[in-house]
Amino acid sequence: MSAEMDALVAAATQKLEALEAALYGLKQVRGRHTTDDGSVSVEVDSDGALVALSLSESITSRSPVEVGQAIIWACQQAAQDAGEQRSKVVSELNSTFVAPQSGIVAGRAE
C-alpha cells in the first residue's frame, strides 16, 4: 500500500512541476517580427499584446495609412509566432498528462 501511495504522490508531484514549468514557459513567450525592409519591428507577449515597437527613419517617407498597415501586419506575424510558441508549451504540458495505458491503473493490471 505504501508503494502505491508513493507512486501516486510522485505522479502528482511530476504533474505539478509540469504545470509550473508550463506557466513559466507561457510567461516567457515573446513573438517578434521585422518587416522585410526593416522599417517596422514589433514584439508581442504570449497574449499577442504589443510590448515593443521600433520604427526606422525610412518609415517617415510613407503615408500614415501605409505605416499603420505595416505595423498591424507586423503585429499579426508576431502574434502568430507567439501562438506557435504557446502551442509548443501546451503540447509539452499535455504530454505529461497522457492517460496510462489501458489495463494499467496505478501500476497494477485491471
Side-chain angles (χ1 to χ4, degrees), residues 34-41 54-64 66-67 70:
T34 300
T35 57
D36 291 338
D37 64 0
S39 62
V40 178
S41 294
S54 176
L55 303 173
S56 71
E57 190 171 328
S58 67
I59 199 84
T60 60
S61 65
R62 295 187 184 178
S63 73
E66 291 175 323
V67 172

Side-chain angles (χ1 to χ4, degrees), residues 23-78:
L23 287 172
Y24 177 79
L26 289 172
K27 288 179 184 176
Q28 302 307 308
V29 167
R30 290 289 186 265
R32 294 175 181 86
H33 185 78
T34 300
T35 57
D36 291 338
D37 64 0
S39 62
V40 178
S41 294
V42 298
E43 181 178 334
V44 300
D45 66 12
S46 65
D47 295 323
L50 184 63
V51 295
L53 171 64
S54 176
L55 303 173
S56 71
E57 190 171 328
S58 67
I59 199 84
T60 60
S61 65
R62 295 187 184 178
S63 73
V65 170
E66 291 175 323
V67 172
Q69 289 173 340
I71 292 170
I72 291 169
W73 185 81
C75 287
Q76 289 171 335
Q77 299 304 308

Side-chain angles (χ1 to χ4, degrees), residues 57-106:
E57 190 171 328
S58 67
I59 199 84
T60 60
S61 65
R62 295 187 184 178
S63 73
V65 170
E66 291 175 323
V67 172
Q69 289 173 340
I71 292 170
I72 291 169
W73 185 81
C75 287
Q76 289 171 335
Q77 299 304 308
Q80 182 177 349
D81 178 35
E84 291 168 2
Q85 291 176 44
R86 256 191 339 267
S87 292
K88 288 178 186 176
V89 171
V90 172
S91 177
E92 290 173 14
L93 174 63
N94 287 341
S95 69
T96 64
F97 285 89
V98 174
Q101 295 176 347
S102 62
I104 307 273
V105 176

